[in-house]
Amino acid sequence: SRLEPEQSNVSKSPLSPEKSSQNPLDDSEEKLSAEENKDRNLPDAQSNLGLWGDGKGEDELSPEEIQMFEQENQRLVGEMNNLFDEVRQIEGKVVEISRLQEIFTEKVLQQETDIDNIHQLVVGATENIKEGNEDIREAIKNNAGFRVWILFFLVMCSFSLLFLDWYDN
C-alpha cells in the first residue's frame, strides 16, 4: 500500500511529460494525496513494529521468551531423540528380519533338495512295489502249477499202487 502512490506518480509522469508541465495543480494534488496515504500507512507500520517489540531487534528477547524458546528447544530435542531411538529400533528389527529371511531362504533351499531326494525315493519305492507285486503274482502262478503237479503225482502213485495190488492178486 505504501508503493501505490509512488506507482501512480511514476505511471502518470512517463506517459505525458507535457501534461505534467501544463497542469501544476494536478501534480500538487497528487503529492498531497501521496502524503496522506503515507500518513495513513504509518500507524499500520507502527502496529506491525509493535508485534516485534516496538522496534527491538531479534537479539533482544525478554527472559520469558528466552525461557519459552529453551523449553520448546528441549521438547523438540527430546522428540528428535525419541524419533532417533525409534528409528534405531526399527533399523534393528529390519536387520533381524533380513537375517531371518536369509535363514528362511536357506532352509527352503535345503527343503527343496530334501523334497527332491524324497521324491526320488518314493518313485523308486513305487517301482519296487510294482516289481514285487508282479513277482508275487508269478510266484502264485508257479505255486499253483507246482500244486497241480504234486496232486497229479500223488494221484498217479495211488493209481499205480492200486494197479499193482490188483495185478498181484
Side-chain angles (χ1 to χ4, degrees), residues 118-162:
I118 291 170
H119 176 71
Q120 294 298 325
L121 291 174
V122 167
V123 168
T126 304
E127 290 176 4
N128 289 340
I129 289 173
K130 286 180 183 177
E131 289 176 10
N133 285 338
E134 290 174 6
D135 289 344
I136 289 173
R137 284 189 196 109
E138 190 175 320
I140 289 172
K141 287 179 186 176
N142 290 339
N143 197 10
F146 183 69
R147 282 189 219 152
V148 170
W149 282 105
I150 290 178
L151 186 62
F152 179 72
F153 177 73
L154 290 175
V155 169
M156 289 307 286
C157 286
S158 299
F159 282 128
S160 297
L161 285 173
L162 284 174

Side-chain angles (χ1 to χ4, degrees), residues 1-2 5 31-47:
S1 63
R2 284 191 234 161
K31 288 180 183 177
L32 286 175
S33 66
E35 288 176 8
E36 289 175 3
N37 284 337
K38 286 181 184 178
D39 291 339
R40 283 187 218 147
N41 290 334
L42 187 60
D44 291 339
Q46 287 177 351
S47 67

Side-chain angles (χ1 to χ4, degrees), residues 107-125:
K107 295 297 181 184
V108 167
L109 292 175
Q110 284 178 348
Q111 286 179 353
E112 181 182 7
T113 57
D114 291 346
I115 288 171
D116 287 340
N117 291 338
I118 291 170
H119 176 71
Q120 294 298 325
L121 291 174
V122 167
V123 168

